[in-house]
Amino acid sequence: MTKRVLTVDDSRTMREMVNFTLKSGGYDTIEAGNGKEALYTLGDAEAVDLIITDLNMPVMDGFELIQQLRGGDYKTTPILVLTTESELQKKEQGKAYGATGWIVKPFNPD
């Protein structure tokens, strides 16, 4: 069964690049432009196996999204933060909220 990944980023170009990379690796993808849209999308979609989210987005940022997901049906789903933020404090905050991993943009598709 093909793994499904939700990508969340307010940059359409970044979502397209991440989705292209994932699809090239054999994954199915769905996408959202901010945290609120991600929650709405997840409510209408089949469950996902991985969530990749940016931090700095309008409407609902990545930290709030992670908190919402961890309080609902996605308590154990891996969540990767893909962001330009690289400060240790932000990484620790992400981990405290339930992020599984951290990738700093720009990223290497490999």
Side-chain angles (χ1 to χ4, degrees):
M1 186 166 133
T2 304
K3 301 284 185 180
R4 287 176 58 108
V5 181
L6 169 65
T7 59
V8 188
D9 199 304
D10 58 322
S11 166
R12 188 167 157 242
T13 303
M14 182 58 66
R15 286 193 318 267
E16 288 174 354
M17 186 169 68
V18 172
N19 288 338
F20 176 80
T21 301
L22 291 167
K23 287 178 182 180
S24 296
Y27 296 91
D28 284 339
T29 63
I30 56 174
E31 61 183 79
N34 61 61
K36 187 173 183 179
E37 187 180 318
L39 293 175
Y40 180 79
T41 299
L42 287 171
D44 286 346
E46 294 177 30
V48 297
D49 301 291
L50 172 69
I51 298 162
I52 301 174
T53 185
D54 188 17
L55 278 188
N56 302 311
M57 299 178 288
V59 185
M60 180 187 291
D61 69 18
F63 284 144
E64 188 175 349
L65 172 61
I66 294 168
Q67 287 179 300
Q68 294 282 329
L69 292 168
R70 292 302 188 216
D73 294 336
Y74 291 90
K75 289 178 175 58
T76 61
T77 303
I79 301 173
L80 300 178
V81 176
L82 177 61
T83 183
T84 57
E85 304 285 348
S86 61
E87 303 92 43
L88 182 60
Q89 179 187 11
K90 293 273 188 180
K91 291 178 182 179
E92 289 174 350
Q93 187 177 2
K95 186 175 180 179
Y97 287 144
T100 310
W102 198 276
I103 302 169
V104 177
K105 294 176 188 174
F107 71 98
N108 179 340
D110 292 332

